[in-house]
Amino acid sequence: MTIQPTLLFSALFAMLAAGIYAYIGWRLSKRIISSSRAQLAWGSFTVWWYGLAATTLIGGFLSLLGAIGFTSLPLFVTATYINLLILCLALCGLLYYLIYLFTGNSRSLILLAIFYLIYYVLLVYYITASTPSGVKIDRWNTPLVYHSQLTGTFFVVIWVCLLLPQIIGGLAYFTLYFRVSDMTQKYRILLVSWSIIIWFLSPGAALVGGLAQKDWWQLVSRLIGLAAALTILMAYLPPRWLKQRYGILSLNDENQQT
Amino acid sequence: TEFPVELTINRILGEEPPIFTGFIRDITQRKLTEEALLASEEHFRLVVEAAPNAMIAINGDGKINLTNARAQELFGYSAEELLGHPVEMLVPERFRSGNPSDSQNFLAQLTSRPMGDGRDILGLHKDGHEIPIEIGLSPYESSEGQFTLALIVDITERSQAQEKIAYQAYLLESVNDAVIGSDENSLIRFWNQAAERLFGWKAEEVLGHSGREILRSEYINTDRETVLKTLAEHGRWKGEATLHHKDGSQVIIEVSSITLRGANGLITGYVSVNRDIAERKQAEADLYKSEELLRLGYDTAKLGIWQNDLVTGMVRFDERARAQYGFDADNVTLADVIARIHPDDADRLGQEIATATDPASDGRYGTEYRVIHPDGSVHWLAVQAHVYFQGEGTSRRPITGFGTSQDITERKNAEEEIRALNEELNERVVKRTAALSQANALLQVLLDQMPDHIYFKDAQSRFIRNSRSQAKALGLNDPLEAVGKSDFDFFTHAQISFDKEQEIIRSGKSLVDVEEQVVWPDEHETWVSTTKVPLLDQAGQIIGTFGISRDITERKHSEEALQKAKLELEAANKELEAFSYSVSHDLRSPLRSVDGFSQALLEDYGHLLPPEGRDFLERVRSSAQRMALLIDDLLNLSRVTRVPIKSVPVDLTRIAENIAAELRRTHPEHSVKFSIAPNLNVRGDPQLLQVVLENFLSNGWKFTSKQEKAEIEFGSKSENNETVYYVRDNGAGFDMAYANKLFGAFQRLHTMTEFPGTGIGLATVQRIIHRHGGRVWAEGVVGKGATFFFTVPPLERIQPKAEPKEEDTLSKRMEEII
């Protein structure tokens, strides 16, 4: 049995990242919030992190299987369907958090749920219609091989629906930077918004720039994701020197005040 | 034998000597024929002569060839004057041009023309007057040639009759009344133009049809059978009926009908003359209405009418006037009337009557005066009268007076009341004005002295009046300087205040005790509690706002400090409770070990220990068990503080009965008489209330253990609109001096040897009752028992006060979830 080292690295990296994402979700879930509607929004934000952790873990698991040469098509297709469902759930949570923060409208969750349900159906259709015929053991991942992969407008719509709402939400989130005076809030907005923007912008840029299969990009993209997650974690749990220098509060500090 | 011959001799031309030819024809037969003809003509002449009608014969030249005595009589000519003369002499000049041609044409056609077939023409009498005649023409041939025999009938009488009929028909057609003729079966035979106008039907449409069906008569105050019966018996009937127009509308008419009878006396038909009386009826109705209105007017105005005969001195009343003056009779003397006049009005009335009866006046006068009825009641009358005079100049003198009178007592009384009310009102206005002045002065003092900011604003939120403190805060020396200005002249955040005030004006709802931070024009910041209410005018219309703002800066600071302290205290309490819970919980395990191993030591090695050693171990166990009990109670106490409280219906009676049964079962050696009132129901947390009753009843059970006849009663009573529940026992009781210590934790009024316990139970009870929003207290007498009282308020009183809805703003959301 030949083990593909890049795939193995990718799998281990993904598992590490999943653990970090889950840790972030857990730390954020400890935040004490009085308003029930705000609790829902914050809860959906933690769903994003847990979802991200789950989908990254599944991706890492598939990479690990690929690394050892196990390429069962039914297993990979099933895992892909599950992964996409979790991804839609996570995206819905992130976008709802951003929308609620901006509008205060808790009913938008229903509309978002419907949107992402439709989006998930489109994704399933995309996979099914493309007729998966096998699993390709690539250097950095183990994508499905399609008999007739759908391209064109449908393909663009899929990607736009995946990335654009989050990028727009991130940019809108960033505009709040200019509306707050509290240093802690400014600090968090800056870090969280640009982490999300860069995180979601990078796959699009790679797709457009044709970097997707470059080794260095595979590495960089993973580092971007991990860095973004760590940055967001740092947004809520700032290092001591930042706290002392700028008077920024961590979630723990806020919880204690509460 | 002789016989007649016809001889014809002719000369043959061209022959000399003349030669003659002669023809002889036997004309015997012809002569016989001619003689017969002559005889016939003579016969004809005799017949003509004897004819009752005028006859003339006209030859082919239009000349009269034959005439008879009747013709001569008709035209006034003798036979000689007629025979051989043109027939035109018998025709009026204006018709002569046509006559011969008619005759010629007639002769040419050789067709007969019977009587009546030709036109009626006029003949000309010898004396020049024209005679209406009818001519029948008949051609005949005689030995003298072709003739026309004219039979002439004098139709003067017939023409006159026809003219009369035509005239009568014209009259019938011309009358404005609808004339309808019908036969004995009521089929219409005559229908004049007025009938067409009145009923809308054309004659040709109704002739031959049943009048009953066409007109659908409905007789007023009678019926058809009666009408027909009257017509049959009396030959005529007159009345009113409602008939129907062609368009369906009703026509009110006056009907005059007569019966037509034949020579045999049988009814042959009816003629009815129908007159439209709608206008008359309307006029009658109008008149009736007018009279009715006049009567109603008099009735409504309650006018009485009277006449004063100034000659006889008698006064005549109608019924109402008689009542108004208080008389029984319709006729009284003027002196009687004057005697009824109120003394205060008598002179004035006398002067007014004197003026009105002055011959130089117009006789009209109107006045009001009082009359006194025999029963002593006084009535005000308003009188309008007119005096009539007779004669002119110096002989002019009053003869009678007519007048109307109206009882205006109620009006006068009302006027008097109004006057009194006006006086009272004026008095109240004066007092009110004084009160307002005083109130205004007080308000001014208030506005000048009150530290609170008081202000009145108009509908545009402009200041109307301000307190001095408000003016000072606004940076003004005099409150009047603020009048006409608004918050926009002083505050940068005026829009918020303006919007709230406009909402108050729009909705009429007040804002009460709204706490807000204000940045004053001098940039110092304060907290104020503001109450703003609609400012109403006298009619209750909102004309602005009135507000009071109290500086609560110090209070806010105190509250903040208090809140902070409260939070700190709550946190400390939570930590303490958590600590005590944790400690209690964690202590149980080692305690179980101490007790368990002590028991094991006693059981396994007890025989190796001296009695004193065993006694020590027993004491260790007893202490451990007591400590475990204490910990359990502490845990219970902690639990009742932490668990969320429910609010459901709770049957206290049932709970108490169950507890009593359990006590009897577990301690059968102790006999207690329980008296538990039925239907004690509250709303609360059933588990916590069970703990309350368990403590009370087990306490009662415990403290009555030394009583021979132990009794425990659980009941309720009403006190100050509140249901108070109580548990009473006749046990050891307590000294009321220690009543306030009963509900403290670890507080015990008896030793463990007297009555065992941890001293936590009543503390737990108090916490539970307090969590229900109720009260708990106790009364007791040493040796005679104790009574524990508690209340459990209704559901709504134990509901936690609803927290005000937090403002959902972006800044709040950012504060919460960024």
Side-chain angles (χ1 to χ4, degrees):
Chain A
M1 183 179 66
T2 306
I3 296 176
Q4 176 70 263
T6 50
L7 267 180
L8 183 62
F9 171 78
S10 180
L12 295 175
F13 192 93
M15 289 173 182
L16 172 67
I20 291 171
Y21 298 152
Y23 174 71
I24 294 171
W26 176 72
R27 287 305 297 263
L28 296 186
S29 69
K30 296 298 176 189
R31 186 174 191 175
I32 297 172
I33 295 171
S34 56
S35 160
S36 59
R37 295 203 300 172
Q39 281 175 358
L40 180 63
W42 188 252
S44 67
F45 189 43
T46 58
V47 164
W48 154 250
W49 289 108
Y50 287 130
L52 194 62
T55 190
T56 306
L57 187 65
I58 292 172
F61 177 67
L62 293 179
S63 293
L64 187 62
L65 291 179
I68 60 174
F70 184 82
T71 55
S72 164
L73 181 62
L75 175 68
F76 272 69
V77 169
T78 304
T80 303
Y81 285 149
I82 293 170
N83 223 1
L84 290 174
L85 180 62
I86 295 170
L87 182 67
C88 285
L89 196 65
L91 288 172
C92 181
L94 176 60
L95 201 54
Y96 172 67
Y97 167 69
L98 295 174
I99 287 176
Y100 174 77
L101 183 63
F102 246 85
T103 64
N105 182 4
S106 55
R107 285 184 297 180
S108 60
L109 181 59
I110 298 169
L111 297 175
L112 278 176
I114 293 169
F115 172 78
Y116 275 103
L117 183 66
I118 294 168
Y119 182 61
Y120 175 67
V121 171
L122 285 178
L123 288 172
V124 170
Y125 173 78
Y126 172 76
I127 302 288
T128 310
S130 297
T131 322
S133 56
V135 178
K136 182 183 178 185
I137 301 182
D138 236 336
R139 279 175 59 77
W140 294 97
N141 48 21
T142 53
L144 292 172
V145 178
Y146 299 102
H147 186 266
S148 54
Q149 187 169 5
L150 294 180
T151 55
T153 308
F154 188 79
F155 183 75
V156 174
V157 167
I158 290 285
W159 275 97
V160 166
C161 289
L162 175 68
L163 303 176
L164 195 60
Q166 314 298 335
I167 294 170
I168 292 172
L171 286 170
Y173 188 27
F174 175 63
T175 61
L176 297 177
Y177 178 86
F178 305 101
R179 297 173 66 172
V180 299
S181 55
D182 181 71
M183 184 53 76
T184 302
Q185 291 181 344
K186 275 181 174 292
Y187 168 74
R188 288 180 187 173
I189 290 169
L190 191 66
L191 264 57
V192 173
S193 63
W194 281 105
S195 295
I196 292 172
I197 292 165
I198 292 170
W199 202 348
F200 281 91
L201 207 55
S202 60
L207 204 66
V208 174
L211 308 173
Q213 296 308 317
K214 306 253 182 220
D215 282 354
W216 65 268
W217 173 254
Q218 289 292 335
L219 195 60
V220 167
S221 68
R222 281 165 176 74
L223 288 173
I224 287 174
L226 194 60
L230 290 171
T231 305
I232 290 172
L233 180 64
M234 199 166 73
Y236 294 103
L237 299 170
R240 185 186 297 276
W241 64 272
L242 269 177
K243 290 167 69 176
Q244 290 175 346
R245 189 163 183 177
Y246 297 106
I248 295 168
L249 299 177
S250 68
L251 289 183
N252 290 339
D253 299 330
E254 288 179 343
N255 289 344
Q256 283 177 3
Q257 284 184 358
T258 305
Chain B
T1 303
E2 290 180 358
F3 62 91
V5 296
E6 180 184 71
L7 175 61
T8 304
I9 299 171
N10 295 314
R11 181 184 175 188
I12 300 173
L13 292 177
E15 292 296 331
E16 280 299 334
I19 300 170
F20 296 93
T21 61
F23 296 93
I24 298 169
R25 180 188 295 171
D26 184 353
I27 58 171
T28 303
Q29 190 61 41
R30 194 179 83 186
K31 280 296 181 181
L32 288 172
T33 304
E34 285 177 354
E35 284 174 2
L37 183 60
L38 284 173
S40 172
E41 285 175 350
E42 186 59 25
H43 180 73
F44 172 70
R45 198 180 305 277
L46 289 172
V47 168
V48 167
E49 190 60 36
N53 293 320
M55 299 178 76
I56 58 174
I58 306 159
N59 65 15
D61 297 328
K63 292 181 178 175
I64 299 168
N65 179 257
L66 179 65
T67 180
N68 66 357
R70 185 72 188 95
Q72 293 156 20
E73 182 186 348
L74 178 62
F75 292 105
Y77 290 98
S78 63
E80 292 75 19
E81 288 172 326
L82 291 173
L83 293 174
H85 290 88
V87 71
E88 284 193 334
M89 65 181 291
L90 302 178
V91 177
E93 187 69 28
R94 61 183 185 282
F95 300 128
R96 285 179 184 172
S97 58
N99 242 358
S101 61
D102 285 348
S103 177
Q104 288 297 330
N105 291 338
F106 174 74
L107 291 172
Q109 292 168 0
L110 289 177
T111 53
S112 62
R113 193 177 189 184
M115 288 292 288
D117 191 30
R119 61 183 179 182
D120 295 341
I121 60 173
L122 292 171
L124 183 64
H125 193 272
K126 183 181 178 181
D127 61 9
H129 80 271
E130 293 178 354
I131 312 159
I133 56 174
E134 185 181 29
I135 298 179
L137 299 177
S138 178
Y140 77 93
E141 187 176 356
S142 73
S143 58
E144 295 173 5
Q146 289 286 335
F147 293 91
T148 299
L149 181 63
L151 176 63
I152 301 166
V153 178
D154 183 356
I155 58 171
T156 300
E157 290 182 358
R158 196 179 81 189
S159 294
Q160 287 173 345
Q162 285 177 340
E163 280 178 4
K164 189 177 177 182
I165 291 169
Y167 177 68
Q168 289 174 342
Y170 173 76
L171 285 178
L172 284 174
E173 290 292 348
S174 303
V175 293
N176 281 326
D177 294 339
V179 180
I180 301 170
S182 57
D183 61 15
E184 69 276 19
N185 296 317
S186 294
L187 299 178
I188 297 170
R189 298 302 177 192
F190 181 77
W191 184 269
N192 72 348
Q193 291 180 356
E196 291 183 352
R197 289 194 299 272
L198 186 59
F199 299 116
W201 296 94
K202 294 288 183 188
E204 55 269 28
E205 293 177 311
V206 299
L207 291 177
H209 291 83
S210 167
R212 189 177 178 185
E213 292 175 2
I214 293 287
L215 297 172
R216 289 177 283 157
S217 311
E218 293 171 7
Y219 296 95
I220 298 173
N221 298 329
T222 186
D223 54 29
R224 180 176 174 77
E225 285 67 32
T226 306
V227 171
L228 291 175
K229 187 178 177 185
T230 305
L231 282 169
E233 291 177 356
H234 304 289
R236 60 179 64 245
W237 175 81
K238 186 174 182 179
E240 292 176 357
T242 302
L243 276 59
H244 286 78
H245 191 272
K246 185 181 180 181
D247 62 10
S249 60
Q250 289 188 331
V251 185
I252 301 175
I253 57 166
E254 181 185 69
V255 187
S256 293
S257 295
I258 59 169
T259 307
L260 301 179
R261 291 182 186 276
N264 55 4
L266 295 176
I267 294 172
T268 58
Y270 305 95
V271 173
S272 65
V273 178
N274 304 279
R275 177 168 294 171
D276 185 356
I277 58 170
E279 288 184 3
R280 195 184 83 192
K281 281 285 179 188
Q282 185 60 44
E284 286 176 2
D286 290 346
L287 180 62
Y288 177 79
K289 190 176 177 183
S290 174
E291 290 175 349
E292 185 68 10
L293 279 175
L294 186 62
R295 189 184 65 76
L296 282 172
Y298 273 99
D299 285 347
T300 304
K302 296 181 178 175
L303 290 175
I305 303 171
W306 49 261
Q307 182 195 4
N308 179 11
D309 189 332
L310 296 171
V311 177
T312 62
M314 292 299 291
V315 179
R316 194 153 58 93
F317 294 110
D318 74 348
E319 188 177 356
R320 183 173 286 119
R322 179 167 57 77
Q324 288 169 347
Y325 282 87
F327 287 107
D328 294 330
D330 290 341
N331 292 289
V332 297
T333 65
L334 183 58
D336 292 335
V337 176
I338 291 171
R340 292 280 166 93
I341 306 300
H342 194 285
D344 293 347
D345 300 335
D347 290 345
R348 178 173 55 82
L349 179 62
Q351 287 173 4
E352 287 171 344
I353 291 174
T355 303
T357 53
D358 184 349
S361 76
D362 64 353
R364 295 181 185 279
Y365 73 96
T367 186
E368 294 176 355
Y369 51 80
R370 285 164 286 179
V371 294
I372 303 172
H373 283 200
D375 62 3
S377 60
V378 177
H379 297 261
W380 274 95
L381 298 180
V383 170
Q384 292 291 330
H386 191 182
V387 178
Y388 291 88
F389 297 88
Q390 193 175 50
E392 296 295 333
T394 55
S395 63
R396 179 177 164 88
R397 62 188 182 87
I399 56 169
T400 189
F402 284 98
T404 60
S405 56
Q406 185 181 21
D407 190 330
I408 58 169
T409 307
E410 288 184 5
R411 194 189 83 194
K412 282 290 185 183
N413 290 340
E415 286 175 357
E416 180 60 27
E417 282 183 22
I418 290 170
R419 190 191 59 74
L421 285 172
N422 275 336
E423 285 182 3
E424 186 186 344
L425 187 63
N426 286 333
E427 192 177 342
R428 289 172 65 182
V429 166
V430 170
K431 288 181 180 174
R432 181 79 173 157
T433 305
L436 280 175
S437 298
Q438 189 180 9
N440 196 34
L442 291 172
L443 177 62
Q444 191 58 48
V445 170
L446 197 69
L447 291 173
D448 288 343
Q449 304 298 328
M450 279 289 284
D452 293 346
H453 303 152
I454 303 171
Y455 42 92
F456 299 86
K457 291 181 178 178
D458 64 13
Q460 284 73 44
S461 292
R462 292 179 301 230
F463 290 110
I464 302 171
R465 202 164 173 182
N466 300 62
S467 67
R468 190 165 294 282
S469 62
Q470 165 86 346
K472 188 179 175 184
L474 294 175
L476 305 174
N477 294 322
D478 187 343
L480 290 176
E481 291 177 34
V483 174
K485 294 180 179 175
S486 69
D487 284 348
F488 290 100
D489 297 314
F490 302 104
F491 300 106
T492 55
H493 49 79
Q495 186 64 43
I496 300 169
S497 178
F498 177 81
D499 291 343
K500 287 179 179 175
E501 287 161 5
Q502 292 303 308
E503 177 62 19
I504 291 169
I505 292 169
R506 191 187 62 74
S507 66
K509 293 179 179 173
S510 305
L511 285 178
V512 180
D513 287 340
V514 176
E515 295 180 358
E516 53 193 359
Q517 202 164 14
V518 180
V519 181
W520 295 95
D522 62 0
E523 295 189 348
H524 84 277
E525 294 183 14
T526 62
W527 276 93
V528 293
S529 170
T530 300
T531 294
K532 292 182 179 179
V533 299
L535 186 62
L536 307 177
D537 63 7
Q538 297 288 337
Q541 297 296 315
I542 298 174
I543 57 169
T545 54
F546 161 68
I548 298 179
S549 296
R550 170 165 293 177
D551 191 332
I552 56 166
T553 308
E554 286 185 12
R555 198 193 83 195
K556 286 296 282 187
H557 290 161
S558 302
E559 281 178 0
E560 284 172 7
L562 199 62
Q563 182 65 16
K564 190 177 175 184
K566 184 187 169 196
L567 289 174
E568 288 173 356
L569 188 61
E570 284 177 353
N573 276 338
K574 279 183 182 176
E575 284 185 12
L576 190 61
E577 283 179 6
F579 173 75
S580 63
Y581 178 81
S582 175
V583 167
S584 305
H585 191 266
D586 293 347
L587 280 175
R588 294 185 68 180
S589 293
L591 271 180
R592 275 200 297 274
S593 297
V594 170
D595 185 35
F597 283 116
S598 298
Q599 186 181 7
L601 190 61
L602 275 173
E603 287 173 0
D604 297 341
Y605 302 102
H607 61 280
L608 300 177
L609 293 174
E612 190 178 9
R614 285 199 298 275
D615 180 52
F616 289 162
L617 277 176
E618 288 290 353
R619 290 185 181 217
V620 167
R621 280 202 66 200
S622 174
S623 295
Q625 286 171 0
R626 184 161 170 269
M627 191 169 178
L629 192 64
L630 195 62
I631 287 169
D632 284 344
D633 284 350
L634 278 172
L635 282 173
N636 274 336
L637 184 64
S638 175
R639 188 177 69 82
V640 299
T641 310
R642 286 183 292 109
V643 293
I645 190 167
K646 295 176 189 172
S647 180
V648 296
V650 180
D651 185 350
L652 293 180
T653 299
R654 189 180 59 77
I655 291 174
E657 286 171 349
N658 290 342
I659 293 169
E662 182 64 15
L663 286 170
R664 286 195 191 99
R665 188 182 67 78
T666 53
H667 304 283
E669 73 284 356
H670 184 35
S671 172
V672 176
K673 180 187 176 187
F674 277 98
S675 300
I676 298 171
N679 303 320
L680 299 179
N681 297 303
V682 294
R683 281 190 74 88
D685 190 303
Q687 290 181 334
L688 295 182
L689 291 173
Q690 166 120 8
V691 172
V692 169
L693 289 180
E694 276 175 356
N695 275 288
F696 281 145
L697 294 175
S698 59
N699 276 354
W701 183 275
K702 181 167 64 183
F703 289 111
T704 57
S705 59
K706 296 175 181 174
Q707 296 296 323
E708 202 168 310
K709 292 182 178 178
E711 291 181 2
I712 298 175
E713 179 188 0
F714 175 43
S716 71
K717 61 179 182 178
S718 184
E719 200 172 272
N720 298 326
N721 295 325
E722 188 178 35
T723 303
V724 176
Y725 303 91
Y726 61 87
V727 177
R728 180 178 293 131
D729 64 64
N730 61 348
F734 62 89
D735 186 345
M736 281 298 286
Y738 303 107
N740 58 342
K741 290 185 176 179
L742 278 176
F743 296 97
F746 306 113
Q747 296 293 333
R748 304 195 74 255
L749 301 184
H750 303 277
T751 62
M752 281 295 291
T753 52
E754 286 181 307
F755 300 103
T758 60
I760 303 296
L762 289 180
T764 306
V765 165
Q766 188 182 47
R767 285 200 182 188
I768 292 171
I769 295 300
H770 284 178
R771 288 201 71 193
H772 279 80
R775 298 176 293 121
V776 61
W777 68 99
E779 294 173 0
V781 178
V782 176
K784 293 191 174 179
T787 305
F788 289 85
F789 301 92
F790 67 96
T791 62
V792 182
L795 170 66
E796 59 272 18
R797 289 178 55 188
I798 65 170
Q799 290 299 312
K801 190 178 177 182
E803 291 182 5
K805 191 177 179 182
E806 290 182 13
E807 199 176 0
D808 184 16
T809 60
L810 177 62
S811 59
K812 178 154 181 63
R813 290 197 298 277
M814 287 195 292
E815 192 179 318
E816 279 188 321
I817 59 172
I818 278 184

